[in-house]
Amino acid sequence: MKTALVTGANGFLGSVLVRRLRREGISVRALCRDPHKGDHLAALGAEVIRGDIQLPATLETPMRGCDVVFHAAAVHSSAATSYNVNVIGTQNVVTAARTAKVGRLVHVSSVAVYGYHIAGDVTEETPMRPSPNDYYTQSKALGEQVLWHEARRGGLPTVSIRTAFIYGEGSAFWSRGLYRLVATRRAPMVNQGRGNAHPIFVEDVVDLLITSATHPNAPGNAFNAAPDPAPTWADYLGHYARIAGKDTSKAYVNLPPAAALLAALIGGITRLRGVPTDAAGMLHYIGTRATYRMTHAAERLGWRPRYSLVEGMAAQETWLRGLSLV
């Protein structure tokens, strides 16, 4: 791989990916809707290019001559915006990559495609069952279906990485947000925090993306990117409590059974507001014992995450301690 294009390049994952690619001497074209927000990418030596995955005319030319396109752009927004970006935008990226004769497309999907009602081992063969009450999960599943249909129709070598909760320095919610929550109050939890959380360190996700871009056995496959085995929420939040200097037993507060009724109400309200979110499904999900298995990546690519939760948390500890808690 000599030249790569990254969509969503100025997002959290995209920025870390660009940094790693440049460090490895790869020429990077960073696609940004607003090039001025890509100054930090230009400082890394990337070529910042104005482009929008919702505008097909802006995609093909930047992709010409690229060995790999990493499609990391996505949103969690209103039903209409989620569909336009996560579904139609993905279709536009595949079409442009095929026309530009790109060598390989690596798509960033999500474990959200499996839905909230999972249990036990979840493999890449587990059916996609996105929540009918949550358009983010639906749009990610539809986007991946479009990806495979268009890629296979045009013979474009394609890989899909289904990521779990990506944390690390710069992560807005899974690092900064949860740290601030635990540091200043308690995170609401169910099942005494015994359900499984699914945090994966950002550098591990980038490793898998790059491996998938170069390994001969990768095309045609989807790969989970999640901790295997998965820690509990008590374990995950306990690390943030420790970094904040709090008693780890005070990292969360268990929600009463009545919370399920409130979650159902919240779900109805979000649907009326045009941002459908399955709060009841999420509540069930965080209390569930389940693990997204990484066996497929290990067997197919010889790849395993390098960072344990302890090591990933240690890598972002200095950054977290320097954050304002206001």
Side-chain angles (χ1 to χ4, degrees):
M1 175 171 51
K2 295 182 179 179
T3 303
L5 181 138
V6 179
T7 73
N10 59 355
F12 168 52
L13 176 61
S15 295
V16 179
L17 175 60
V18 169
R19 186 188 313 127
R20 175 78 70 84
L21 291 170
R22 289 297 304 135
R23 192 162 67 234
E24 295 185 5
I26 295 165
S27 177
V28 178
R29 298 172 187 172
L31 197 74
C32 299
R33 285 188 299 170
D34 182 354
H36 296 295
K37 293 183 178 180
D39 289 345
H40 65 294
L41 304 174
L44 296 172
E47 179 186 1
V48 179
I49 299 174
R50 183 189 298 274
D52 187 338
I53 65 171
Q54 297 179 81
L55 301 174
T58 67
L59 300 177
E60 184 185 335
T61 298
M63 290 185 187
R64 288 176 184 162
C66 287
D67 302 298
V68 178
V69 167
F70 293 97
H71 177 35
V75 297
H76 191 164
S77 185
S78 67
T81 301
S82 294
Y83 184 81
N84 288 338
V85 175
N86 299 343
V87 183
I88 301 301
T90 296
Q91 183 174 31
N92 293 339
V93 168
V94 180
T95 300
R98 188 174 62 228
T99 303
K101 294 180 171 48
V102 167
R104 188 175 300 187
L105 172 64
V106 180
H107 170 67
V108 179
S109 184
S110 168
V111 295
V113 301
Y114 301 113
Y116 296 131
H117 293 275
I118 57 170
D121 291 345
V122 181
T123 73
E124 291 83 355
E125 298 302 316
T126 299
M128 292 187 189
R129 290 182 178 143
S131 170
N133 300 312
D134 189 308
Y135 211 82
Y136 175 72
T137 67
Q138 289 186 48
S139 67
K140 290 303 288 184
L142 286 170
E144 191 167 335
Q145 289 169 11
V146 164
L147 171 86
W148 291 119
H149 178 267
E150 294 297 324
R152 288 166 179 159
R153 186 166 68 94
L156 174 66
T158 299
V159 188
S160 184
I161 306 301
R162 297 171 181 166
T163 66
F165 315 158
I166 307 176
Y167 75 98
E169 184 174 336
S171 171
F173 180 78
W174 297 113
S175 291
R176 182 189 296 114
L178 286 183
Y179 174 69
R180 284 176 172 167
L181 176 62
V182 171
T184 58
R185 50 186 70 88
R186 293 185 178 189
M189 194 52 56
V190 297
N191 194 23
Q192 299 296 330
R194 289 190 289 263
N196 287 124
H198 308 282
I200 183 164
F201 191 53
V202 63
E203 294 291 349
D204 278 330
V205 178
V206 168
D207 276 343
L208 182 54
L209 288 170
I210 293 175
T211 299
S212 297
T214 56
H215 200 291
N217 293 338
N221 289 273
F223 297 102
N224 290 337
D228 180 4
T232 65
W233 280 99
D235 292 335
Y236 182 34
L237 297 177
H239 281 283
Y240 287 125
R242 178 190 58 79
I243 293 170
K246 290 181 63 174
D247 184 338
T248 56
S249 67
K250 296 179 180 179
Y252 62 89
V253 58
N254 210 55
L255 293 173
L261 296 176
L262 177 60
L265 177 61
I266 291 173
I269 292 172
T270 59
R271 177 170 287 278
L272 290 174
R273 294 180 62 185
V275 190
T277 301
D278 186 1
M282 291 179 185
L283 198 64
H284 170 82
Y285 180 71
I286 63 176
T288 298
R289 299 286 294 179
T291 294
Y292 300 102
R293 299 305 308 275
M294 292 294 296
T295 308
H296 189 46
E299 293 177 347
R300 190 79 179 170
L301 308 177
W303 184 90
R304 291 176 177 82
R306 293 188 296 114
Y307 288 82
S308 66
L309 182 58
V310 171
E311 292 166 332
M313 284 289 178
Q316 64 171 352
E317 183 168 339
T318 300
W319 170 68
L320 288 172
R321 288 182 183 276
L323 293 175
S324 169
L325 299 179
V326 178

